[in-house]
Amino acid sequence: MFLTKIEFLKAIIYYGILILPIPLLIMEFKANRNLSEPILRKAIPILTIIGLIYLNPLKILFNIATWKTQTVKLINENKGNHKVEFQMKDIGALGYAKRNAEVYYLTKYFYLVLSENYDERNFFGTDWKRIDKNINEIGLK
C-alpha cells in the first residue's frame, strides 16, 4: 500500500475524488452534443459516482488522517529506508488507531507499507537492528 505523511495532500486528493465527478457529469450533459458521440466521457463520471456510493463516502472521509510514526522499533542495516515502526492515527472522538507496520520509505514523506502484521519472529537475524527510537510525530506527552 502506497501512503504519504503529508495530510494536506491526502485530503485534497480524497476530497477531489469525492467532489469532482459531479461537476464533470453536469458539464458533460450541459454540453450540447449528441448522446451517442462520447459515451465514454459520460460513463467515467457515472461509474465513479456509483463506485463512491458503493465504497461509502463517510468511510473515505474518515480515512483522510495519515499514520504518524511514534517509535521506530527496528531498522534494516543493509537498507536504511526499510523499518519497523509503531504508528498511530487520530480518528477523532474515538481516540487513536495503532499499528506496528513494516515500511519502506521511498522519500521522507512517501512510503510503502509492506506488512501491517508485525511479528517479531520474522525479524530475527543479522540484517535487523533494534533501535527503539522515539519520534512522536503526533506530539503526545
Side-chain angles (χ1 to χ4, degrees), residues 41-134:
R41 279 192 282 185
K42 290 177 179 58
I44 291 173
I46 290 171
L47 292 175
T48 305
I49 291 170
I50 291 170
L52 289 173
I53 291 170
Y54 176 75
L55 290 175
N56 189 356
L58 285 176
K59 198 177 208 182
I60 294 170
L61 286 176
F62 286 132
N63 282 323
I64 288 177
T66 58
W67 289 97
K68 308 279 186 189
T69 301
Q70 291 303 103
T71 307
V72 178
K73 293 185 172 193
L74 301 169
I75 190 166
N76 192 316
E77 291 177 336
N78 298 332
K79 300 174 190 165
N81 294 340
H82 193 177
K83 302 174 183 178
V84 174
E85 298 179 343
F86 172 66
Q87 297 179 337
M88 295 175 73
K89 176 168 71 167
D90 185 11
I91 51 174
L94 300 175
Y96 294 97
K98 301 171 185 171
R99 72 176 182 183
N100 288 311
E102 179 184 357
V103 297
Y104 185 82
Y105 282 91
L106 303 171
T107 67
K108 184 178 178 181
Y109 298 109
F110 297 100
Y111 61 95
L112 297 171
V113 176
L114 303 175
S115 172
E116 291 186 13
N117 300 325
Y118 168 73
D119 186 5
E120 197 161 312
R121 292 174 291 175
N122 296 338
F123 298 98
F124 286 136
T126 58
D127 292 348
W128 293 93
K129 179 181 175 185
R130 179 169 292 284
I131 59 172
D132 290 325
K133 183 179 177 185
N134 190 16

